[in-house]
Amino acid sequence: MRLRSGVLAAGCLLLQALGVAIFLRGFFPLAVRARPRGGPRGESPPEPAPPGPGTVSNWTKIPPPLFKKVVIVLIDALRDDFVFGSKGKQFMPYTTQVIEKGTSYSFIAEAKPPTVTMPRIKALMTGSIPGFIDVVVNLNSPALLDDNLIWQAKTAGKRIIFYGDDTWVKLFPKHFVEYDGTTSFFVSDFTEVDDNVTRHLDRVLKREDWDLLILHYLGLDHIGHVTGPNSPLVGPKLREMDNILKKIHISLLSKEGEASLPSLLVVCGDHGMSETGSHGGSSEGEVHTPLLFISSAFEKRSGPLTQPELVQQTDLASTLAVGLGLPISRNSVGNLILPVVGGKTMREQLRFLHLNGFQLSRLLEENTPAYEKDPGYEQFKIAEKSHGNWIKLYLEGNNSEILMNLGKKVLKQYLEALKTLSSSLSKQVAQYDMYSMMVGTVIIMEVLLLLLLSVPKALSSRAEFEVPLSPSLFSLLFYLMCLVLCAVHVIVCTSAESLCYFCSMAWLTALGVMMLISALMCGILSAIGKILENSRLPVKNPVVSSSSWSEVDVLMLAGTIGHVLSLGASSFIEEEHQTWYFLINTLCLALCQELCRNHFLLKECDPQHGTSLKQNFDGIREASDCKNIDVPASGNSKLDKVASSAEFIKGSDKWLSLASPWIILICCRLLRSLNRTGVQWAHRPDFGHWLTSSEHKSELSFLAAVSLVMIFFLVQRRCSLVSKIAMALGLLGVYSYRAAIGNVVFPWQHDSKDISKGITEARFVFVFVLGIVFTGTKDLLKSQVISADSSVKSTGLWEVYSGLVLLAALLFRPHNLPVLVFCLLIQTMMTKYIWRPLKFDAAQITIMHYWFGQAFFYFQGNSNGIATVDVSAGFVGLESYVEIPAIFLTAFATYAGPLLWAIHLLCYLSSEVSRVSYLKHSSWNLLSRRPEKAFSK
């Protein structure tokens, strides 16, 4: 069956989408889930039955609440060292005093990746562990349908008030009796976003018509995104939070005399922040947050301060449920934090732990087929039996030391069982569906191989591909493969201990997928057979080609294949930047060898011949320079190759060409020292951290100014006069914007206390960006509609490229401006001194652009983790959160390196066509005027 290339590509795209969908379904594991929330709540389990007849416990209901009012203060991006470290002692004196000498318990809560706000709120309120798929819906959070603390409190008649991040309002609609949400995505707002929360405090703290108050402060997170954790703005923000906590604590203490139960103040963070101020990954600064419980019900701390104990962030849901007298959320995998209830009687403590263990064991039953063999389940049953023995002694009135010792033993058994149960349930969240992933991978690889086999036919004049479909469907191999795959499917599905998505499909659907895999494999084998058969046929008029693969060709092929294979290992994905650094360094060495070979081969040629060639083509080069065509061509004609050789042997260009690979290597080495990325060594200090510290603002200002001047000189050479003026004013506006927000200072400035959002300065730059891009777009349309002039098209592309360079300079942080400078410098050097003399073809140039584009993605400080995404770039010049511009600016700032190299490739290819046509026209005119000089000797 013959298919047009477009039809084949569309079919392959649909099959690829199917394979990717099956793979992703296995890659993103389902969270541990209990029965739906809408079902019957059921009665709470009674205390374990004592052994022997006639003895029955009378405690069958959920214990009463331990606290009358609970206030949760969630400070976004609050790292543990902001409270327990030197910054906490300096900027949060009241909180530090309560931790060291007050009635409080302090912990370090460990958050599981992804460390972004919406999944962390889910973890805090449900006790479950959200997956990475929640990162996708973080921008537009849907209502939370799982069993959670807020729903339980509302069902029990608790009155809940909320102020802060509107993510809570989206997750828990109609749950709050009063709320005021603020957008969390406008990261340039440091003060108003918190003032909108604090302005309600005085009024609410005086009222008695609430049971649970939740405050979510965003200012610290926004400061981290824009200026980093070492910013001078962090200290005042922490001091502001300390004053708020002091006000809340004093207000709660003043009203406790009137209440029968004490109040509880909980201070926590949803996640921390990395050394660059971002979050989303798994570094220690991102996953460790403080967790404080402050209440007069606790004993006053005495003795030396110890290191806070490490707990899981999911433990908060179970602890607050017990404190409020609510059922523990069904999907919670957290453990009760025992010190919070440590002041209660032994019977009450054992009752709390039994409720927690019963909930975890029930969740394990519903998600694990062989739950009875789980060590945690066995430990819980042993502890439950011991608990029954303790209850028997207690009900008999035994108050001896035996009862106390047995109670401590049961307490220890429960804690060990809870820890093991929680660990078993947490592991299921990270358990991938390997079978579904393998099925999806097989489909993807088969379609990819089919596309590769169809490329020669698709690029031919007929653009058709013969799909050997009919023979494959009726061949014996097809039926044998279907039979084998069905047998494998039965074996895997019957022996799998965990749930598998592909096994849960209907048998007819699974059979269809098996037939698809078999048909694709038979079609691929048939196509390979035809290719081998055609290769054995004699070729008419064979042409002997003298071309051979150079070291650069072998390197680019091996490097590309090696990089693809390296993506099969997670460690190589985490440290992918090391692969690209190695490849571009090796490429520079190979280019240096190629340049030396060309240089020495030319020296062995007839010098008189070289001199005559030089004289003949000097006029061509001058004319080319006058036409402002800076990017060389790689034409196939002999005339172009002779012209290239003549240009290559010019003395100054020769030495600059030989030195260019080494200069590029030095640039790449400097860029590696600017930003450390990846996972293993990202925490180590780099030159970027040194520059962004407050002590080196003058050095950063000087570097930013020099970088902007160099950007102008590297870009303006092919721009029109109007664009040159716009570029100069735009770069001046970039520096003014950074000075306005406090990143850099002008020479006449002595301090940077007057910090603003820089809205006016950023919009001033946007005007010039749009103007330059509009000028380039006008030239592009002119070349397509009015006149088919390739030089006009080339100029238009370069104008668009220059406008995007100006936009990147605005969005890049000041210490990253050298990345943009080196990007332009390397592009200029490779264009003039490497691609011109070595005459690389379009495929080679494209691969080199791709390699350097990927390397510059990591030179910016990016990684394959979402923690390195600079969210602050999406709000440059915006007064409020506007979704589409914010997404565009964030994406452009993140992928500026690959984008600029891709657009430079278009400029190169366009200028190549323009230069080839002009060189041919000029050379024939010159040769017609001086034929005797051109071919003398």
Side-chain angles (χ1 to χ4, degrees):
M1 182 175 66
R2 290 186 176 276
L3 294 176
R4 298 285 297 176
S5 58
V7 177
L8 176 66
C12 290
L13 184 62
L14 292 175
L15 294 178
Q16 285 277 28
L18 173 64
V20 170
I22 296 176
F23 176 86
L24 291 179
R25 184 59 178 76
F27 183 76
F28 291 112
L30 287 176
V32 176
R33 290 286 183 269
R35 61 182 180 270
R37 189 181 68 186
R41 295 181 62 185
E43 296 294 330
S44 62
E47 279 186 316
T55 310
V56 180
S57 172
N58 57 358
W59 198 351
T60 58
K61 296 183 179 180
I62 296 176
L66 308 180
F67 307 100
K68 181 181 180 182
K69 292 180 181 293
V70 175
V71 180
I72 302 175
V73 180
L74 194 155
I75 304 174
D76 210 297
L78 184 66
R79 299 200 325 188
D80 61 328
D81 58 333
F82 285 175
V83 175
F84 303 127
S86 58
K87 289 184 178 178
K89 294 180 180 179
Q90 181 180 0
F91 299 111
M92 304 186 75
Y94 183 80
T95 305
T96 302
Q97 180 184 2
V98 171
I99 293 173
E100 294 178 351
K101 300 178 182 179
T103 55
S104 66
Y105 290 106
S106 55
F107 304 91
I108 295 177
E110 183 180 19
K112 299 295 183 184
T115 48
V116 291
T117 297
M118 192 271 289
R120 295 301 97 219
I121 295 176
K122 280 187 177 182
L124 288 168
M125 294 296 105
T126 65
S128 60
I129 302 178
F132 276 89
I133 193 65
D134 288 301
V135 177
V136 179
V137 295
N138 186 54
L139 294 174
N140 188 20
S141 309
L144 182 61
L145 301 178
D146 295 339
D147 190 11
N148 59 81
L149 182 72
I150 302 296
W151 181 81
Q152 293 282 5
K154 181 177 181 293
T155 305
K158 304 284 186 182
R159 294 158 295 180
I160 312 170
I161 296 178
F162 170 77
Y163 303 115
D165 185 355
D166 59 359
T167 304
W168 290 77
V169 182
K170 297 175 183 177
L171 286 173
F172 309 106
K174 302 179 181 179
H175 285 67
F176 306 118
V177 295
E178 183 180 321
Y179 65 87
D180 185 10
T182 57
T183 180
S184 60
F185 294 108
F186 186 52
V187 298
S188 298
D189 183 8
F190 303 154
T191 55
E192 294 178 10
V193 71
D194 288 343
D195 292 342
N196 286 334
V197 178
T198 307
R199 65 190 176 95
H200 299 284
L201 268 184
D202 292 332
R203 176 176 52 84
V204 171
L205 291 175
K206 294 177 182 178
R207 291 158 44 185
E208 295 290 337
D209 60 343
W210 57 270
D211 302 295
L212 178 60
L213 174 64
I214 303 174
L215 309 173
H216 189 152
Y217 285 94
L218 290 163
L220 183 64
D221 177 68
H222 291 182
I223 291 174
H225 279 299
V226 176
T227 60
N230 300 316
S231 167
L233 299 174
V234 171
K237 179 57 67 175
L238 292 177
R239 187 177 289 110
E240 177 188 347
M241 295 295 103
D242 187 60
N243 293 331
I244 291 170
L245 294 176
K246 180 179 179 181
K247 177 188 293 187
I248 296 172
H249 188 212
I250 292 175
S251 175
L252 292 177
L253 289 177
S254 65
K255 293 186 176 183
E256 283 190 358
E258 309 167 5
S260 57
L261 291 174
S263 299
L264 174 66
L265 172 60
V266 180
V267 183
C268 62
D270 55 346
H271 52 74
M273 67 173 71
S274 66
E275 289 302 318
T276 60
S278 298
H279 54 86
S282 57
S283 66
E284 185 173 338
E286 295 170 85
V287 300
H288 284 175
T289 63
L291 178 59
L292 307 179
F293 295 92
I294 305 172
S295 175
S296 60
F298 306 146
E299 294 183 1
K300 200 166 187 177
R301 185 178 293 275
S302 61
L305 185 66
T306 59
Q307 177 69 19
E309 181 185 350
L310 183 68
V311 298
Q312 296 301 313
Q313 195 179 58
T314 52
D315 297 343
L316 180 63
S318 303
T319 306
L320 287 180
V322 169
L324 290 169
L326 303 172
I328 299 175
S329 301
R330 295 188 178 100
N331 298 321
S332 173
V333 297
N335 297 337
L336 175 67
I337 301 177
L338 190 61
V340 178
V341 298
K344 298 299 177 180
T345 64
M346 179 62 70
R347 187 182 185 187
E348 289 176 313
Q349 293 183 50
L350 293 177
R351 173 63 171 159
F352 297 147
L353 292 174
H354 177 255
L355 288 173
N356 194 185
F358 182 85
Q359 175 263 326
L360 290 175
S361 62
R362 178 65 60 87
L363 187 62
L364 185 72
E365 291 179 23
E366 297 177 1
N367 288 271
T368 305
Y371 66 91
E372 294 180 347
K373 299 179 181 178
D374 186 85
Y377 187 84
E378 294 176 351
Q379 292 175 0
F380 174 71
K381 289 302 179 182
I382 294 173
E384 197 175 36
K385 186 177 181 180
S386 301
H387 189 185
N389 294 329
W390 185 90
I391 291 174
K392 181 180 180 180
L393 292 176
Y394 177 82
L395 294 177
E396 290 174 353
N398 191 331
N399 295 321
S400 64
E401 188 176 349
I402 298 176
L403 183 67
M404 181 61 64
N405 291 336
L406 181 59
K408 292 180 180 179
K409 178 183 176 182
V410 177
L411 206 69
K412 185 177 180 181
Q413 288 176 340
Y414 268 134
L415 291 175
E416 292 178 355
L418 293 179
K419 185 177 180 180
T420 309
L421 282 169
S422 179
S423 177
S424 300
L425 291 167
S426 300
K427 287 178 181 178
Q428 292 190 24
V429 179
Q431 190 174 8
Y432 300 106
D433 184 358
M434 296 302 298
Y435 184 44
S436 299
M437 292 172 63
M438 289 179 65
V439 172
T441 303
V442 169
I443 295 175
I444 294 171
M445 296 304 296
E446 286 183 335
V447 174
L448 178 61
L449 187 55
L450 188 63
L451 282 173
L452 291 176
L453 293 174
S454 66
V455 166
K457 292 284 186 181
L459 296 179
S460 63
S461 59
R462 300 184 63 182
E464 289 184 347
F465 182 73
E466 184 175 351
V467 181
L469 191 59
S470 299
S472 302
L473 293 178
F474 297 102
S475 65
L476 179 62
L477 179 61
F478 171 76
Y479 294 111
L480 286 176
M481 288 192 65
C482 286
L483 185 62
V484 171
L485 291 176
C486 289
V488 171
H489 181 72
V490 171
I491 294 173
V492 171
C493 294
T494 53
S495 61
E497 295 184 358
S498 57
L499 297 176
C500 173
Y501 170 72
F502 197 66
C503 292
S504 63
M505 283 185 174
W507 269 100
L508 191 60
T509 306
L511 180 61
V513 175
M514 300 299 174
M515 293 178 65
L516 173 64
I517 294 174
S518 303
L520 286 173
M521 181 58 67
C522 292
I524 289 170
L525 294 176
S526 179
I528 293 175
K530 286 195 173 185
I531 292 174
L532 294 176
E533 182 180 349
N534 293 334
S535 65
R536 297 193 188 98
L537 297 176
V539 181
K540 297 180 180 180
N541 300 325
V543 179
V544 180
S545 175
S546 60
S547 63
S548 60
W549 281 42
S550 65
E551 288 85 351
V552 176
D553 297 323
V554 175
L555 171 63
M556 288 191 290
L557 178 63
T560 304
I561 295 175
H563 169 255
V564 172
L565 295 177
S566 71
L567 298 180
S570 60
S571 57
F572 277 96
I573 296 176
E574 292 172 352
E575 307 295 330
E576 188 182 359
H577 62 285
Q578 300 286 4
T579 303
W580 290 116
Y581 295 166
F582 172 78
L583 288 178
I584 61 171
N585 290 343
T586 311
L587 177 62
C588 288
L589 295 176
L591 292 174
C592 181
Q593 180 191 17
E594 198 75 16
L595 288 167
C596 292
R597 178 185 294 133
N598 277 267
H599 168 63
F600 291 122
L601 285 176
L602 281 174
K603 286 191 67 175
E604 295 173 1
C605 295
D606 183 9
Q608 293 183 348
H609 179 67
T611 304
S612 64
L613 289 174
K614 173 182 174 295
Q615 292 174 350
N616 288 331
F617 292 96
D618 274 345
I620 299 174
R621 176 168 180 167
E622 292 173 4
S624 175
D625 292 338
C626 291
K627 289 286 288 183
N628 206 19
I629 302 172
D630 187 64
V631 186
S634 55
N636 296 323
S637 65
K638 294 181 179 179
L639 184 62
D640 292 331
K641 294 183 179 292
V642 174
S644 171
S645 301
E647 293 172 351
F648 176 76
I649 61 176
K650 289 183 67 71
S652 58
D653 286 358
K654 176 183 67 177
W655 294 112
L656 284 173
S657 181
L658 289 173
S660 57
W662 301 102
I663 297 175
I664 294 172
L665 277 174
I666 294 172
C667 293
C668 293
R669 186 62 190 88
L670 292 175
L671 289 174
R672 289 183 64 176
S673 302
L674 184 64
N675 292 305
R676 290 193 180 273
T677 183
V679 176
Q680 298 295 329
W681 296 280
H683 63 282
R684 294 187 178 180
D686 50 36
F687 189 52
H689 285 100
W690 184 84
L691 285 172
T692 52
S693 62
S694 57
E695 297 84 7
H696 305 110
K697 183 171 288 188
S698 57
E699 290 87 346
L700 178 62
S701 303
F702 176 76
L703 180 64
V706 172
S707 299
L708 293 174
V709 172
M710 291 185 67
I711 289 171
F712 174 74
F713 282 109
L714 288 169
V715 171
Q716 57 84 32
R717 67 185 189 277
R718 296 179 57 198
C719 294
S720 63
L721 179 60
V722 175
S723 295
K724 288 180 182 180
I725 297 174
M727 176 65 67
L729 293 175
L731 292 173
L732 181 61
V734 170
Y735 193 90
S736 301
Y737 166 73
R738 289 298 170 183
I741 65 175
N743 294 143
V744 298
V745 293
F746 285 107
W748 55 85
Q749 276 185 302
H750 299 288
D751 53 44
S752 57
K753 292 182 180 179
D754 298 331
I755 297 175
S756 68
K757 298 177 184 178
I759 302 294
T760 304
E761 293 84 354
R763 291 179 176 178
F764 177 79
V765 180
F766 281 139
V767 171
F768 292 111
V769 170
L770 294 175
I772 297 173
V773 172
F774 175 77
T775 303
T777 306
K778 181 187 68 175
D779 290 339
L780 288 175
L781 293 175
K782 181 181 177 181
S783 66
Q784 297 293 326
V785 178
I786 300 177
S787 63
D789 189 352
S790 57
S791 63
V792 175
K793 180 180 179 182
S794 176
T795 304
L797 278 172
W798 188 263
E799 297 273 2
V800 174
Y801 176 73
S802 303
L804 295 179
V805 168
L806 178 58
L807 179 60
L810 175 65
L811 300 181
F812 275 21
R813 298 200 181 196
H815 75 280
N816 260 349
L817 287 175
V819 177
L820 194 56
V821 174
F822 285 132
C823 175
L824 298 171
L825 181 62
I826 292 174
Q827 288 173 353
T828 303
M829 295 189 67
M830 295 193 73
T831 295
K832 192 172 183 179
Y833 300 115
I834 295 179
W835 296 331
R836 175 176 295 174
L838 294 182
K839 299 295 293 179
F840 287 115
D841 58 28
Q844 293 169 319
I845 299 297
T846 301
I847 293 175
M848 291 185 196
H849 274 82
Y850 174 71
W851 281 21
F852 274 95
Q854 292 298 310
F856 270 87
F857 173 79
Y858 295 103
F859 284 147
Q860 292 176 232
N862 294 321
S863 69
N864 288 328
I866 60 176
T868 53
V869 176
D870 185 8
V871 182
S872 63
F875 304 93
V876 174
L878 300 180
E879 286 183 335
S880 61
Y881 175 64
V882 186
E883 187 172 356
I884 294 178
I887 293 174
F888 169 75
L889 293 176
T890 304
F892 180 83
T894 304
Y895 296 100
L899 277 173
L900 290 179
W901 278 91
I903 298 171
H904 185 270
L905 175 63
L906 295 178
C907 295
Y908 176 88
L909 296 177
S910 176
S911 297
E912 176 184 17
V913 174
S914 176
R915 189 172 182 273
V916 166
S917 60
Y918 184 77
L919 280 176
K920 288 181 179 180
H921 178 73
S922 300
S923 60
W924 284 116
N925 289 339
L926 190 64
L927 289 174
S928 63
R929 292 198 305 268
R930 299 187 298 174
E932 68 284 351
K933 292 183 180 180
F935 296 102
S936 62
K937 300 183 182 181

